[in-house]
Amino acid sequence: MGDESVWYVTAFYRFFELSADTLPAEKSALLDYMNSHGVRGLVILAPEGINGTVAGSADAIQHFKTHITNRFAADIHFKDSISEKPPFRRTTVDLREEIVGLKRPDLVPEAPENSHLSPAEWHAMLESDQPKLLIDTRNRYETQVGKFRGAIDPDLGTFSDWQTYLRETQLPKDVPVMIYCTGGIRCEKAILEMHEQGFEKVYQLRDGILGYLAEYPEGYYDGECYVFDDRVTVGPDLKPTGNYGTCPGCGLTAGITESCIICDTKYFVCEGCQPKRPNVCSKPCLDQFQRHGPRRRVTA
Ligand SMILES: [Zn+2]
Ligand SMILES: [Zn+2]
């Protein structure tokens, strides 16, 4: 095995039909596999397919990919990145209604191919001067740390706001639209919603920002990419930057560093919460502060 201090991370999804009554058995089999092979992370199973991000040693991740493709589908795309620290504390397999939360379990891609652009095709289209609209389908706590140059940010609170945004937007429907997200999964549903609402030509970025950065680290993506684990963001080289954390006040992306007045730990807080809450890093330190005031160390 290679360097023990490096965690190999892979993100993947695939839409396919899983019968609801087999889901509990699939869940426990997958959980057993992950626990016995040193794979941590979160995998979601739903009647519409599988979605997950997992981490482990190089060997463990290699085996995991083989296991998943043998078990579920041969053409799953894996998007790899790395982390110096364990990006997940736990191993979880969740059963849900959808593998991505649009709150439209009825909208399921019918075929694996639906106007996908490879990173090279996407890059070329951005470079060309043909008329197009570029829209980010991610939430505001993601777009605020980075996005494609010139992209429209719909300022979504959650992905389920996408329908409302499309209904209310004044964007022309006869101009080609390019949509993208972190790893590609949200666009698989976002594109169906756009077709329903009359957008004539929509392209989606295969494998999302993570896939694009793997090929074009110095292309048209500016800033960092939010990821759904303890790394919070990765840079253009797909390595964690340590520039952002999770705000203890609201749970969203935070870029301001503070020192906890109770335990001295350095932590990140967001612009919105910083002026409104005491400088404490966590719930236990907040409790301590509320009971005893500042500068009283937790001694345990
Ligand atoms: Zn906050
Ligand atoms: Zn603290």
Side-chain angles (χ1 to χ4, degrees), residues 135-136 138-140 143-144 147 151-156 165:
I135 310 180
D136 196 314
R138 299 171 305 153
N139 300 326
R140 72 173 71 93
T143 56
Q144 73 191 27
K147 61 189 180 72
I152 297 166
D153 177 6
D155 194 34
L156 306 177
Y165 167 74

Side-chain angles (χ1 to χ4, degrees), residues 6-9 80-84 231 234 237-240:
V6 174
W7 287 73
Y8 290 80
V9 187
D80 299 329
S81 55
I82 59 168
S83 181
E84 278 102 41
R231 293 172 297 168
V234 295
D237 56 359
L238 298 173
K239 291 181 183 158

Side-chain angles (χ1 to χ4, degrees), residues 4-54:
E4 302 256 359
S5 69
V6 174
W7 287 73
Y8 290 80
V9 187
T10 197
F12 63 97
Y13 70 84
R14 177 76 158 75
F15 286 92
F16 52 81
E17 242 181 88
L18 273 173
S19 108
D21 40 295
T22 66
L23 286 174
E26 293 289 0
K27 171 183 165 159
S28 65
L30 188 54
L31 200 53
D32 284 350
Y33 174 89
M34 290 168 72
N35 281 325
S36 58
H37 290 77
V39 178
R40 287 191 203 172
L42 171 65
V43 179
I44 297 163
L45 292 171
E48 65 182 16
I50 189 168
N51 178 21
T53 305
V54 298

Side-chain angles (χ1 to χ4, degrees), residues 259-267 279-286 298:
S259 193
C260 177
I261 52 175
I262 300 296
C263 72
D264 279 346
T265 302
K266 192 176 153 247
Y267 72 100
N279 270 343
V280 287
C281 71
S282 60
K283 181 78 171 60
C285 286
L286 181 62
V298 185

